[in-house]
Amino acid sequence: RLCVSERYLPHAWPIQYRITLDRDIIAIASTRGGVAVLTDGKPIFVTGTDPAALSQQTIDFSQSCVNKDSVVDMGDYVIYAGPDGLCALEGPQGRVLTEGQITAADWNESFYPTQIKAFRHENTYVAFYTDGVTHGGWVFDPRGGTSALSTISRSSEVKGGFVDQRDNELYIIDGSNIKK
C-alpha cells in the first residue's frame, strides 16, 4: 500500500487515502508532476493535488526496481537500477538509459545493480558497490557522449553519502570516515 498523509498534517494518515497496489513497493521518489512508485514489477506513477483524489497509472515499462539504494532524484526525472540496465522515469514515461552501451548480462555481472548505493553529483549518477571482497563504483552521465560511463576504484566500502546543497559536494561514508 501507498499511504498518504493529510495535507499539512504529517501525523494524520487516513485509511481512505491509501492506494493498494498489486506489487510490492521497493522505493518511492518524487519527480516532475507526481510520485514514482518503484515496485518489484512495473513502476507506477501517482498524480494529484489533493491526497483524497490521487490517481495511479501503471507505466508500460517492464523494468522493476532491483535495489532501493539505487534510486536517485535527478530533478525532473528519477534514475534507478532495473534488471536490464540503468532506468529513468520522467513522468509516466520510462526508458533504459544504458541500452546499447551495456548488455543485460554485463549489467548484472559487472555493475552490481542489487548492491549499489547511488547519489546525484554534478548532474551525474554516481554508484558505489561492494561484493564482500571487491569495492568499486562507476559514474554515469545521462547527457551521453563518449565518456558517459566511467569506473571508480575503491579500497573500502562506501556505506552511505549525502550531497550538501550549500557547497554542492558529495560526502561519502568511506569505511569509518567521511570524505568529500
Side-chain angles (χ1 to χ4, degrees):
R1 282 190 199 118
L2 177 66
C3 298
V4 183
S5 71
E6 185 69 56
R7 237 195 256 209
Y8 310 112
L9 299 173
H11 61 279
W13 299 78
I15 292 173
Q16 63 268 27
Y17 292 0
R18 291 181 184 172
I19 299 173
T20 302
L21 307 172
D22 63 347
R23 303 300 301 225
D24 288 337
I25 297 172
I26 305 299
I28 301 168
S30 63
T31 182
R32 184 175 20 149
V35 175
V37 181
L38 305 170
T39 71
D40 61 358
K42 290 182 178 181
I44 295 163
F45 193 63
V46 177
T47 57
T49 56
D50 186 333
L54 295 176
S55 63
Q56 64 176 317
Q57 175 184 0
T58 300
I59 300 171
D60 189 20
F61 183 57
S62 297
Q63 291 294 312
S64 62
C65 179
V66 299
N67 175 358
K68 67 181 175 70
D69 293 327
S70 72
V71 180
V72 175
D73 174 6
M74 297 297 287
D76 290 341
Y77 59 100
V78 173
I79 295 179
Y80 67 96
D84 294 336
L86 200 57
C87 300
L89 288 181
E90 187 169 358
Q93 303 294 322
R95 62 189 167 104
V96 179
L97 295 172
T98 53
E99 188 174 44
Q101 291 180 308
I102 306 168
T103 66
D106 285 344
W107 167 251
N108 288 295
E109 183 179 317
S110 303
F111 290 87
Y112 303 91
T114 61
Q115 299 170 9
I116 59 174
K117 290 178 179 35
F119 309 94
R120 176 185 180 183
H121 181 60
E122 300 289 335
N123 291 321
T124 63
Y125 183 92
V126 182
F128 299 99
Y129 66 84
T130 184
D131 67 358
V133 177
T134 308
H135 310 290
W138 44 273
V139 178
F140 179 77
D141 188 343
R143 295 169 289 199
T146 56
S147 60
L149 189 61
S150 56
T151 59
I152 302 170
S153 297
R154 304 278 323 140
S155 60
S156 61
E157 178 183 4
V158 172
K159 297 180 180 177
F162 175 75
V163 174
D164 189 336
Q165 298 303 317
R166 294 173 292 185
D167 63 4
N168 199 31
E169 293 292 336
L170 173 61
Y171 293 86
I172 59 172
I173 304 169
D174 184 13
S176 60
N177 300 309
I178 296 176
K179 294 184 178 178
K180 189 190 292 189

